[in-house]
């Protein structure tokens, strides 16, 4: 996707410069899709996936000859399925293909080759010590056999994360706007923020365990605390750095304080606020996993430490895979929200 | 001196009176001198009049406009709109800067209606928004964000935004200063059209002598440090004015002489 996107962007400015009056035209919203030039559309690129998959299958067959077949048949099915799909894609590419597929092919092929390499290093040649480094087939197997408990853990993690994050964002936005707007609040609030804020939220765990009635509540509070600091900091700096001219203009239009805060200062601070939201999200992932590992008796973090306790490292990797998908989905969702809210910035800054 | 004689439209504007206004900026630190930006400045503008203020950089033109706009307060002296003293910013006095200062997070339409939202009268006066969009010729751009606009278009939006609350006085701080020569001449006519349609009392700060002669009924010449009104020059040329007529050029060289020869 990214691969193809870059190429499209390289072509775009050349075409645009043909029309000098691009400023005066009202923009049509969606940008026109420029076709990449013919020489860039290499049909060979579609062969990378079936080739890589066939290689992986062959290596898997060699590596798993001494293993019980039940352990690994899911991995075989997965690779075979991918092989069939990719062969069909190659066959159909002259009829129908999209930029997305063309862009994704090298990445998919690389991922499959990585799996093959991983399998060779683990169950193939056993270069890596066995219980700690299972092969992809074993991880996939655990992913499927433990699907119920993994799903349950993911739901618990999601609930805890969303509650903590929402709480932290709400409090952070409120305190950030107060500190950024009012000189008095800044005088008293900023030192507190500067001293308390940088303490990693996880360092409060001993205190949180003593103070709160349940591990769930204390974990939520810790996540909120981790989110609160960057959100407050960036909101405050965004609000206090609002261009004075915007405020002056609004005043001469008859604006009162509510208009100045909610319709000038906060919108002007939104780019900065979103940086805070992203930093807070990263901090919340970290705090979530740590809190679940040490206190909370559910969630993905708990599952990882539980699996580790039984030395079932294949399950650890399965949970890590889920976490990767889970966290990156949430991150992508926040990016989408930003793209919507800050649509007015498009063209002003590079995204 | 009566501006209304120039046009039969009833004026929406009010008179403006600046009386012995002095503005001193406090020293940044103990070693620096206090800066006397305006020194006992006095002048009056009749309702509906378009008056230009020209003067070199740093003569306190922008400070004066901020004082009239209510964004800053004089060290001493008084400012009146009609009979009311100016105590703070108000939608009665619209202000347009050299930088159009459009809110980048709002579309053209929402920028224009910001004043109505601020006053809480958007619901009753929504039709005004379309009227002003048409007036400044930007109907096709209502839903466009400001960074898509050219400099001239952005400045027209800023004008519409300042005019929508029907100010009694329009303060223009070099509004066309950042535009290229051709756009600037076209915009001068547009500003004149806007002014003639409503006869809002207008105070135009500019660097450009041609612009001042072309547009205004009266020109105030300011001298710097301390800022004060040096002279007031009536411009009695018929409109539309011809930038290359003999009278125009005579007036131009007369004003130019004031700036080039040392003031005695």
């Amino acid at each position: 996707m990214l691969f193809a996107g870059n190429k499209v962007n390289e072509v775009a400015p050349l075409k645009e410069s043909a029309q000098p009056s691009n400023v005066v035209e009202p923009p049509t919203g969606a940008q026109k899709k420029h076709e990449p030039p013919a020489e860039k559309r290499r049909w060979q690129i579609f062969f990378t996936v079936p080739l890589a998959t066939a290689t992986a299958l062959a290596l898997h067959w060699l590596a798993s000859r001494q293993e019980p077949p039940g352990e690994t048949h899911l991995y075989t099915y997965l690779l075979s399925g991918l092989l069939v799909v990719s062969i069909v894609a190659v066959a159909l590419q002259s009829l129908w293909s999209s930029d997305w597929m063309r862009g994704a092919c090298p990445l998919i092929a690389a991922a499959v080759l990585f799996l093959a390499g991983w399998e060779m290093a683990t169950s193939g040649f056993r270069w890596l010590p066995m219980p700690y480094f299972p092969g992809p087939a074993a991880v996939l197997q655990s992913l499927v056999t433990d699907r119920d408990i993994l799903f349950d853990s993911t739901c618990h993690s999601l609930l805890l994360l969303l509650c903590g994050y929402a709480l932290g964002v709400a409090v952070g936005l409120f305190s950030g706007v107060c500190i950024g707007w009012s000189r008095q609040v800044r005088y008293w609030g900023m030192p507190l923020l500067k001293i308390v804020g940088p303490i990693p939220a996880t360092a409060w765990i001993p205190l949180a365990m003593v103070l709160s009635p349940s591990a769930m509540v204390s974990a939520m509070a810790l996540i909120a605390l981790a989110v609160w600091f960057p959100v407050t900091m960036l909101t405050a700096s965004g609000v206090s750095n609002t261009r004075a001219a915007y405020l002056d203009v609004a005043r001469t239009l008859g604006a009162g304080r509510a208009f100045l805060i909610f319709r000038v200062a906060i919108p002007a601070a939104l780019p900065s606020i979103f940086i805070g939201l992203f930093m807070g999200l990263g901090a919340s992932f970290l705090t979530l996993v740590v809190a679940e590992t040490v206190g909370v008796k559910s969630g993905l973090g708990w599952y990882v430490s539980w699996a580790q306790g039984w030395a079932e490292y294949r399950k650890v990797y399965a949970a890590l895979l889920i976490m990767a998908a889970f966290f990156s989905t949430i991150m992508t969702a926040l990016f989408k929200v930003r793209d919507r809210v800050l649509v007015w910035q498009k063209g002003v800054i590079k995204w | 001196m009566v501006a209304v004689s120039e046009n039969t439209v009833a004026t929406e504007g009010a008179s403006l009176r600046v009386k012995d206004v002095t503005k001193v900026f406090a020293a940044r630190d103990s070693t620096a001198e206090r800066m006397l930006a305006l020194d006992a400045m006095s002048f009056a503008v009749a309702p509906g009049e378009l008056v230009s203020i020209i003067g070199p950089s740093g003569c306190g033109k922008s400070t004066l406009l901020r004082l009239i706009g209510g964004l800053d307060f004089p060290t001493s002296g008084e400012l009146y709109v009609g009979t009311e003293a100016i105590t703070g910013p108000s939608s009665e006095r619209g202000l347009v800067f050299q930088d159009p200062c459009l809110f980048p997070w709002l579309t053209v339409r929402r920028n224009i209606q910001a004043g109505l939202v601020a006053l809480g009268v958007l619901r009753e006066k929504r039709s005004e928004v379309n009227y002003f969009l048409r007036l400044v010729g930007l109907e096709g751009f209502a839903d466009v964000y400001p960074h898509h606009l050219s400099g001239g278009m952005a400045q027209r939006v800023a004008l519409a935004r300042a005019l929508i609350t029907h100010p009694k006085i329009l303060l223009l701080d070099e509004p066309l200063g950042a535009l290229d020569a051709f756009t600037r001449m076209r915009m001068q006519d547009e500003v004149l059209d806007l002014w003639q349609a409503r006869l809002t009392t207008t105070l135009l700060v500019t660097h450009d002598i041609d612009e001042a002669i072309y547009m205004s009924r009266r020109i105030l010449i300011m001298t710097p440090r301390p800022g004060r009104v040096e002279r007031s020059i009536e411009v009695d040329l018929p409109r539309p004015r011809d930038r290359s007529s003999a009278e125009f050029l005579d007036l131009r060289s007369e004003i130019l002489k004031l700036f080039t020869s040392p003031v005695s």
Side-chain angles (χ1 to χ4, degrees), chain A residues 141-161:
Chain A
Q141 195 71 40
S142 328
L143 205 57
V144 173
T145 44
D146 258 10
R147 60 185 177 274
D148 289 335
I149 191 165
L150 275 171
F151 180 75
D152 195 49
S153 299
T154 309
C155 288
H156 274 99
S157 287
L158 183 66
L159 184 71
L160 185 55
L161 183 77

Side-chain angles (χ1 to χ4, degrees), chain A residues 23-27 243 245-256 259 263-265 267-268 343-348, chain B residues 66 71 89-91 93 95 97 99 101-105 114-115 117-119 140-141 144-145 147-150 161-162 165:
Chain A
V23 184
V24 187
E25 280 174 36
R243 262 182 71 186
Y246 292 149
L247 296 170
D248 284 348
V249 164
R251 281 197 193 101
T252 61
L253 294 174
F259 188 96
R263 294 190 182 255
V264 181
V343 67
W344 53 271
Q345 269 201 319
K346 220 165 194 171
V348 180
Chain B
R66 285 183 66 82
L71 297 171
S90 144
S91 59
R93 279 158 278 131
L95 192 52
F97 301 100
D99 175 354
C101 259
L102 301 179
F103 302 126
W105 55 89
V117 175
L119 297 176
F141 294 84
V144 164
Y145 284 99
H147 68 263
H148 289 293
L149 302 177
S150 65
R161 182 176 62 176
T165 52

Side-chain angles (χ1 to χ4, degrees), chain A residues 16-41:
Chain A
E16 293 257 306
S17 62
Q19 326 161 324
S21 61
N22 58 344
V23 184
V24 187
E25 280 174 36
T28 47
Q31 287 219 324
K32 257 191 218 165
K33 279 213 166 178
H34 295 277
E35 280 289 306
E39 71 269 16
K40 300 243 164 146
R41 301 199 197 181

Side-chain angles (χ1 to χ4, degrees), chain A residues 1-350:
Chain A
M1 181 75 193
L2 285 171
F3 195 65
N6 285 339
K7 293 212 167 140
V8 172
N9 282 341
E10 274 168 30
V11 182
L14 290 173
K15 283 213 168 180
E16 293 257 306
S17 62
Q19 326 161 324
S21 61
N22 58 344
V23 184
V24 187
E25 280 174 36
T28 47
Q31 287 219 324
K32 257 191 218 165
K33 279 213 166 178
H34 295 277
E35 280 289 306
E39 71 269 16
K40 300 243 164 146
R41 301 199 197 181
R42 277 166 304 163
W43 54 271
Q44 294 97 324
I45 226 164
F46 277 89
F47 283 98
T48 51
V49 178
L51 275 177
T53 314
T55 314
L57 260 177
L59 289 173
H60 173 62
W61 180 72
L62 286 172
S64 64
R65 268 182 309 181
Q66 59 267 60
E67 307 244 341
E71 272 285 281
T72 64
H73 66 267
L74 276 170
Y75 186 61
T76 316
Y77 292 161
L78 180 78
L79 286 179
S80 313
L82 188 60
L83 186 62
V84 171
V85 169
S86 60
I87 288 173
V88 171
V90 168
L92 289 180
Q93 62 143 322
S94 54
L95 300 174
W96 173 84
S97 70
S98 68
D99 284 346
W100 181 85
M101 284 168 65
R102 200 171 295 113
C105 275
L107 284 177
I108 297 174
V112 172
L113 285 180
F114 170 77
L115 288 180
W118 175 11
E119 178 158 45
M120 282 298 97
T122 53
S123 49
F125 296 112
R126 305 198 178 243
W127 287 331
L128 298 166
M130 199 43 201
Y132 309 114
F133 296 98
V139 172
L140 185 67
Q141 195 71 40
S142 328
L143 205 57
V144 173
T145 44
D146 258 10
R147 60 185 177 274
D148 289 335
I149 191 165
L150 275 171
F151 180 75
D152 195 49
S153 299
T154 309
C155 288
H156 274 99
S157 287
L158 183 66
L159 184 71
L160 185 55
L161 183 77
L162 287 187
C163 289
Y165 187 70
L167 182 67
V169 166
V171 178
L173 285 179
F174 178 76
S175 57
V177 170
C178 290
I179 290 175
W181 184 259
S182 153
R183 195 164 298 167
Q184 263 164 316
V185 179
R186 180 155 57 240
Y187 178 82
W188 296 107
M190 213 51 176
L192 185 73
L193 186 67
K194 280 187 175 160
I195 292 169
V196 176
I199 302 175
T202 47
W204 295 102
I205 284 177
L207 193 64
M209 283 175 158
V210 177
L211 283 181
S212 101
S214 85
M216 211 48 192
V217 172
S218 65
M220 200 168 83
L222 286 178
I223 294 170
L225 184 68
V227 176
W228 167 80
F229 174 57
V231 172
T232 305
M233 208 66 183
L234 272 295
T235 304
S237 101
V239 167
S240 64
N241 286 325
T242 306
R243 262 182 71 186
Y246 292 149
L247 296 170
D248 284 348
V249 164
R251 281 197 193 101
T252 61
L253 294 174
R257 197 163 67 160
F259 188 96
L260 292 179
I261 295 176
F262 290 102
R263 294 190 182 255
V264 181
I266 292 180
L270 273 176
S272 175
I273 290 174
F274 266 97
I275 297 175
L277 292 179
F278 279 110
M279 289 170 63
L281 194 59
S284 74
F285 295 157
L286 178 75
T287 314
L288 171 77
V289 172
V290 175
E292 284 178 344
T293 308
V294 299
V296 186
K297 293 280 172 279
S298 62
L300 289 169
W302 163 81
Y303 180 88
V304 167
S305 65
W306 173 77
Q308 188 220 357
W310 293 98
E312 296 211 74
Y313 280 87
R314 51 178 69 184
K315 291 188 175 178
V316 172
Y317 289 97
L320 288 181
L321 278 180
I322 298 282
M323 270 188 207
F326 175 60
F327 291 152
S328 64
T329 305
I330 292 176
M331 205 53 131
T332 309
L334 187 58
F335 268 107
K336 292 270 184 234
V337 172
R338 187 211 50 181
D339 290 359
R340 271 198 86 104
V341 174
L342 294 186
V343 67
W344 53 271
Q345 269 201 319
K346 220 165 194 171
V348 180
I349 56 151
K350 200 151 177 77

